[in-house]
């Protein structure tokens, strides 16, 4: 077993840290605080974290750089996808324009997790927002693919409780997806147009009658195609071999609410984990809400993809 080390990185303790994205060019990890609508950037060489609020927004669910447009990001904000400009250091970021909006019929919802595939297509899902009634229990969310040319969200899956982790495995060439309150990880084939087919359950994370102890949240994969899943209320990350559908490693962490994971660092061999300090059954004390750096896993990630937008959108 490798000598795994977990380090709390400098930066704020967030109510709901999420959406880590490693940017190779700037050697930075971008991430968000969903509930405060904040963008954050951890700079590797400086060992320092910068943060910014986004003018005119409430939520910030994910932040993904735009390919070929430095300082421009696609951010999920409530029911909108917005194009945001941020220099990575200033205390405020600017919404340049709204890319798309799910519309008034989805007003009770917000975007949650989002990720980009190898063709630059954004996949992002929704859930009932925190200020909506019964937002944990109702299966009223969806998973979408963003068609940048048309500026539209294409629904791929409905009746989702909390749309969460997404990743693609180089081992199986398939797409993996988490609806947190389905308590499983599902596997799909993706066709040339980016549509999902052949849905199967890769692994169930609890028996149907078992009490809820923790839920699957964000997810990533390594160069061998293994899946790494953040376990909210579980104080750990689990590693899954998608060929055998078995948990092959558990990585304990010093916080209960682990929200998402991403590989980064100069060699892509560091696993970053975002966490949450928001209260559920009990108050969460620091380092809850911190950004964590995990080393010694003897695994590497693949470069994360940037969103491709039409050149006329700049």
């Amino acid at each position: 077993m490798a000598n795994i080390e977990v380090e709390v990185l400098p930066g704020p303790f967030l109510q709901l840290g999420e959406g880590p994205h490693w940017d190779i060019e700037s050697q930075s990890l971008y991430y968000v605080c969903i509930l405060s609508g904040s963008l954050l950037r951890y700079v590797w060489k400086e060992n320092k974290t910068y943060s910014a609020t986004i003018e005119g927004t409430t939520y910030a669910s994910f932040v993904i750089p735009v390919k070929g447009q430095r300082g421009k990001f696609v951010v999920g904000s409530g029911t909108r996808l917005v194009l945001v400009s941020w220099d990575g250091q200033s205390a405020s970021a600017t919404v340049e324009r709204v890319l798309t909006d799910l519309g008034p019929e989805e007003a009770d919802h917000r975007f949650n997790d989002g990720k980009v595939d190898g063709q630059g297509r954004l996949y992002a899902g929704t859930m009932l927002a925190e200020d909506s009634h019964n937002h944990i229990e109702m299966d009223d969310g969806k998973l979408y693919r963003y068609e940048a040319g048309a500026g539209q969200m294409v629904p791929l899956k409905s009746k989702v409780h909390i749309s969460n982790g997404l990743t693609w495995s180089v081992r199986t060439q398939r797409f993996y997806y988490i609806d947190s309150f389905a308590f499983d990880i599902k596997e799909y084939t993706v066709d040339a147009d980016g549509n999902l087919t052949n849905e199967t359950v890769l692994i169930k994370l609890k028996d149907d009658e078992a009490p809820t102890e923790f839920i699957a949240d964000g997810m990533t994969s390594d160069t061998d195609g293994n899946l790494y899943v953040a376990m909210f209320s579980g104080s750990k990350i689990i590693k899954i071999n998608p060929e055998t559908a078995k948990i092959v490693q558990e990585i304990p962490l010093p916080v209960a609410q682990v929200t998402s994971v991403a590989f980064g660092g100069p060699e892509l061999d560091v696993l970053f984990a975002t966490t949450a300090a928001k209260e559920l059954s009990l108050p969460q004390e620091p380092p809850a809400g911190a950004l964590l750096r995990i080393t010694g896993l003897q695994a590497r990630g693949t470069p994360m993809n940037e969103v491709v937008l039409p050149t006329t959108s700049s």
Side-chain angles (χ1 to χ4, degrees):
M1 181 65 68
N3 294 318
I4 297 173
E5 296 185 2
V6 179
E7 179 183 1
V8 176
L9 293 177
F13 298 112
L14 304 177
Q15 285 297 102
L16 187 53
E18 258 286 7
H21 181 103
W22 178 258
D23 179 59
I24 290 177
E25 184 171 340
S26 66
Q27 290 290 287
S28 302
L29 186 84
Y30 289 94
Y31 60 113
V32 299
C33 179
I34 292 180
L35 298 182
S36 67
S38 302
L39 303 183
L40 297 103
R41 174 181 172 234
Y42 170 74
V43 183
W44 180 270
K45 288 185 177 180
E46 299 178 28
N47 195 33
K48 179 178 179 179
T49 299
Y50 298 88
S51 64
T53 56
I54 309 173
E55 298 173 0
T57 65
T58 302
Y59 297 112
S61 298
F62 52 82
V63 54
I64 302 174
V66 178
K67 189 174 182 62
Q69 300 184 42
R70 297 306 303 170
K72 304 294 176 65
F73 305 87
V74 172
V75 175
S77 178
T79 59
R80 307 180 303 166
L81 289 184
V82 293
L83 181 65
V84 171
S85 178
W86 186 39
D87 63 9
Q89 293 184 321
S90 301
S92 64
T94 304
V95 174
E96 293 203 349
R97 68 187 186 93
V98 176
L99 297 172
T100 191
D101 194 320
L102 297 176
E105 63 274 14
E106 300 289 335
D108 285 345
H109 297 73
R110 68 164 174 82
F111 280 110
N112 198 40
D113 210 349
K115 199 76 67 73
V116 175
D117 71 4
Q119 286 71 52
R121 299 175 296 205
L122 171 66
Y123 291 71
T126 60
M127 58 179 280
L128 282 171
E130 277 74 4
D131 55 2
S132 301
H133 63 287
N134 217 15
H135 80 276
I136 289 294
E137 297 180 8
M138 293 186 66
D139 58 343
D140 201 34
K142 295 182 177 69
L143 175 66
Y144 297 89
R145 184 186 69 251
Y146 177 54
E147 288 291 344
Q152 296 178 343
M153 302 299 294
V154 176
L156 302 174
K157 184 175 175 61
S158 60
K159 296 188 71 63
V160 172
H161 293 80
I162 298 180
S163 188
N164 238 317
L166 317 90
T167 197
W168 293 260
S169 170
V170 296
R171 178 179 298 187
T172 63
Q173 299 298 310
R174 293 186 178 179
F175 172 71
Y176 296 88
Y177 173 67
I178 293 169
D179 172 1
S180 290
F181 278 89
F183 299 105
D184 61 26
I185 298 174
K186 291 186 173 68
E187 180 182 62
Y188 300 84
T189 301
V190 184
D191 69 19
D193 295 322
N195 298 309
L196 307 181
T197 60
N198 302 322
E199 177 183 287
T200 59
V201 173
L202 173 73
I203 184 172
K204 296 192 67 165
L205 297 174
K206 79 175 188 71
D207 295 331
D208 292 338
E209 291 78 21
T212 302
E213 296 181 359
F214 47 77
I215 61 175
D217 203 320
M219 177 168 53
T220 192
S221 55
D222 64 19
T223 54
D224 293 323
N226 299 299
L227 314 180
Y228 296 75
V229 183
M231 303 306 290
F232 193 88
S233 297
S235 302
K236 63 185 175 182
I237 297 163
I238 61 173
K239 177 181 177 180
I240 298 170
N241 180 334
E243 286 186 327
T244 64
K246 300 293 185 183
I247 297 172
V248 295
Q249 186 178 15
E250 295 192 0
I251 305 160
L253 296 178
V255 298
Q257 298 169 164
V258 190
T259 57
S260 195
V261 285
F263 278 98
E267 304 299 326
L268 294 178
D269 59 350
V270 174
L271 189 63
F272 292 96
T274 52
T275 69
K278 73 175 194 174
E279 295 185 15
L280 292 178
S281 58
L282 294 172
Q284 303 298 308
E285 300 294 335
L291 177 66
L292 305 179
R293 178 165 60 194
I294 305 157
T295 55
L297 291 172
Q298 298 182 351
R300 295 179 188 273
T302 58
M304 298 188 74
N305 300 309
E306 299 175 330
V307 182
V308 173
L309 295 182
T311 55
T312 55
S313 66
S314 60

